[in-house]
């Protein structure tokens, strides 16, 4: 059986990138009123991931690079990934 601390580290390594990807894609795929809710969720996820990234870098945790890359992907993804909002405007 796996050590509970190893399981927690595994969840820490995979949960935040999945949360960030979900928040980014939901913002880019939503339109109308659901876009406003998705933007609020994205901002909340961005704050959470920023805090976790600061904690991992401060404590020199093993997953600092994963968290830093997730934060960078979220910030750059806002500008690089095209959204559906502009494609639907006529």
């Amino acid at each position: 059986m796996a050590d509970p601390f190893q399981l927690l580290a595994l969840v820490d390594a995979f949960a935040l990138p999945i949360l960030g990807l979900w928040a980014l894609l939901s913002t880019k795929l939503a339109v109308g009123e659901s876009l406003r809710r998705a933007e609020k969720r994205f901002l909340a996820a961005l704050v959470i991931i920023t805090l976790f990234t600061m904690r991992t870098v401060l404590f020199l945790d093993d997953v600092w690079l994963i968290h830093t890359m997730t934060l960078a992907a979220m910030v750059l993804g806002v500008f690089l990934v095209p959204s559906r909002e502009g494609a639907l405007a006529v």
Side-chain angles (χ1 to χ4, degrees):
M1 185 166 127
D3 184 27
F5 291 112
Q6 289 177 346
L7 185 61
L8 186 62
L10 186 66
V11 168
D12 186 32
F14 286 115
L16 257 72
I18 290 172
L19 172 70
L21 182 66
W22 169 77
L24 179 64
L25 290 179
S26 68
T27 303
K28 293 302 181 174
L29 296 176
V31 291
E33 184 62 32
S34 63
L35 176 62
R36 305 300 164 239
R37 289 190 306 271
E39 287 173 344
K40 290 178 184 178
R41 286 191 305 260
F42 178 79
L43 184 60
L46 188 64
V47 168
I48 290 169
I49 290 174
T50 301
L51 292 174
F52 269 89
T53 302
M54 287 174 23
R55 179 193 58 88
T56 30
V57 170
L58 183 65
F59 292 128
L60 297 173
D61 204 358
D62 293 335
V63 293
W64 70 270
L65 186 60
I66 294 172
H67 288 198
T68 306
M69 289 179 61
T70 302
L71 183 61
M74 287 183 70
V75 171
L76 291 175
V78 170
F79 300 111
L80 297 178
V81 177
S83 66
R84 292 183 54 208
E85 188 73 22
L88 295 177
V90 177

